[in-house]
Amino acid sequence: MNELLNLTKIKTYLSSDCRHYLENAIIFDEIASTNLFLTEGGVHQGKQYSICLAESQTQGRGRLNKSWVSPFGCNLYLSVLQHFPGTPAQLSGLSLAIATVLAEVLTQYGAQGIQLKWPNDVLWQNRKLAGILIELGRHQNAVIGIGLNLAMPDELKQDSIVDLAEIMKKTPERNKLAAQLIENLLKALEQFKQKGLQPFLSLWKHYDKWVDQPVQVLMGAETVEGQYLGVDEKGCMILQTHDGVKRQFFSGEVSLRLRVISPIVKNTREYF
Ligand code: BTN
């Protein structure tokens, strides 16, 4: 049986610094999208961070205009709003930093074999476990949205996705994991603000298993093939094309393949 999210329980796992930010947190039973809620101004009350979690999303958003399947009470859908005076190009690095946080939290929780795929897919045996969507809101705010598959209902299971229950062969503790994510995310966001991507690069390399692999870069209708050489210090992907030229890609509208509205708000359960 999956436990429901509960802010009081989440707080018990957090440091006192981090508990302070949960005063600006909200959990919905159902919402269109936690990212949409925060990009539209949601719960922001002048604190540095605002947090929104939901048990289900009716219009969960993924990268590249895809939707994010968000059934009730089984996975994690989490967004954090942060003041971000940086440029959109710096967001590219931020998404890589967040991906390393997810990889570390999952590994420390006991999941072995977590991999990252540029720009920010969290994979296990090449199946998608979690995704990150960073969007710019109003007033120089950035919203960092994380979808983590914990225990997908049988009818929504697909070969291309995996959940933590399958990896660990046990039902994940949703509140504990939510807390670990929030704690580590906020620390990472602070660090990123001061030092950028640099402190996260060695972890990225550790979890990035694609270096030197032949890949396809998909940009709308265009496809570029080559060898993936890893990322540079800004988080751009470096591709060596077949004619030996090295090309640099920002994460914006690009995805990588290994070759081979107004929010609907219902049932606010807790509001701080
Ligand atoms: C991806 O396509 O890989 C990114 C998926 C991001 C999904 C999360 S779930 C919480 C937040 N709210 C959304 O609508 N999307 C993000």
Side-chain angles (χ1 to χ4, degrees):
M1 177 66 187
N2 295 317
E3 53 176 351
L4 289 182
L5 296 172
N6 178 310
L7 278 179
T8 311
K9 209 164 179 184
I10 292 175
K11 275 187 185 179
T12 61
Y13 295 110
L14 293 175
S15 66
S16 56
D17 275 1
C18 195
R19 271 202 292 272
H20 170 76
Y21 290 110
L22 269 206
E23 284 163 22
N24 224 23
I26 186 166
I27 299 179
F28 293 104
D29 277 350
E30 182 181 296
I31 192 168
S33 150
T34 54
N35 263 30
L36 182 61
F37 177 73
L38 290 183
T39 44
E40 295 207 334
V43 75
H44 199 46
Q45 289 163 3
K47 288 207 178 153
Q48 222 169 347
Y49 297 101
S50 298
I51 295 163
C52 177
L53 286 142
E55 293 289 7
S56 68
Q57 299 182 116
T58 54
Q59 293 163 42
R61 315 208 282 212
R63 285 186 67 237
L64 308 172
N65 285 327
K66 292 187 187 147
S67 56
W68 187 258
V69 179
S70 310
F72 182 86
C74 46
N75 299 320
L76 281 181
Y77 320 115
L78 162 71
S79 298
V80 178
L81 178 136
Q82 177 203 14
H83 185 61
F84 190 87
T87 63
Q90 285 170 310
L91 284 182
S92 178
L94 180 60
S95 72
L96 269 73
I98 302 302
T100 67
V101 171
L102 266 163
E104 280 287 275
V105 166
L106 290 163
T107 303
Q108 278 160 19
Y109 190 69
Q112 297 300 311
I114 300 295
Q115 307 163 335
L116 295 179
K117 188 183 83 159
W118 186 90
N120 53 25
D121 283 339
V122 181
L123 306 178
W124 183 80
Q125 298 191 352
N126 287 333
R127 295 161 72 200
K128 185 138 169 171
L129 174 61
I132 299 160
L133 176 66
I134 302 188
E135 299 183 278
L136 288 174
R138 286 180 292 207
H139 312 302
Q140 293 193 307
N141 285 325
V143 174
I144 296 113
I146 293 175
L148 170 58
N149 298 329
L150 295 185
M152 221 25 141
D154 284 346
E155 64 277 14
L156 293 173
K157 287 199 160 119
Q158 294 172 23
D159 290 344
S160 60
I161 66 171
V162 68
D163 60 27
L164 198 58
E166 180 181 336
I167 298 172
M168 299 191 61
K169 303 191 176 22
K170 67 171 192 181
T171 306
E173 299 141 287
R174 297 176 75 226
N175 288 298
K176 186 172 179 186
L177 266 165
Q180 287 176 353
L181 263 182
I182 291 166
E183 177 89 40
N184 287 283
L185 260 177
L186 298 195
K187 274 192 199 132
L189 290 172
E190 283 297 310
Q191 205 178 7
F192 189 87
K193 225 187 298 175
Q194 284 158 23
K195 298 191 175 150
L197 180 60
Q198 201 280 328
F200 302 92
L201 278 173
S202 60
L203 269 179
W204 172 270
K205 285 187 186 134
H206 172 75
Y207 288 107
D208 178 4
K209 306 290 184 229
W210 290 46
V211 177
D212 294 336
Q213 298 284 320
V215 295
Q216 290 179 325
V217 179
L218 312 176
M219 292 175 293
E222 196 196 342
T223 303
V224 185
E225 294 196 345
Q227 191 180 11
Y228 171 71
L229 298 184
V231 302
D232 67 13
E233 74 287 352
K234 293 198 192 81
C236 295
M237 190 251 293
I238 309 296
L239 182 88
Q240 179 154 320
T241 53
H242 296 316
D243 49 13
V245 175
K246 285 187 190 162
R247 285 183 65 178
Q248 184 197 41
F249 293 90
F250 286 89
S251 61
E253 285 303 302
V254 175
S255 74
L256 187 67
R257 206 159 64 186
L258 193 57
R259 213 161 45 204
V260 267
I261 355 173
S262 283
I264 300 166
V265 177
K266 269 199 212 160
N267 301 337
T268 304
R269 251 192 299 120
E270 294 177 88
Y271 195 103
F272 287 76

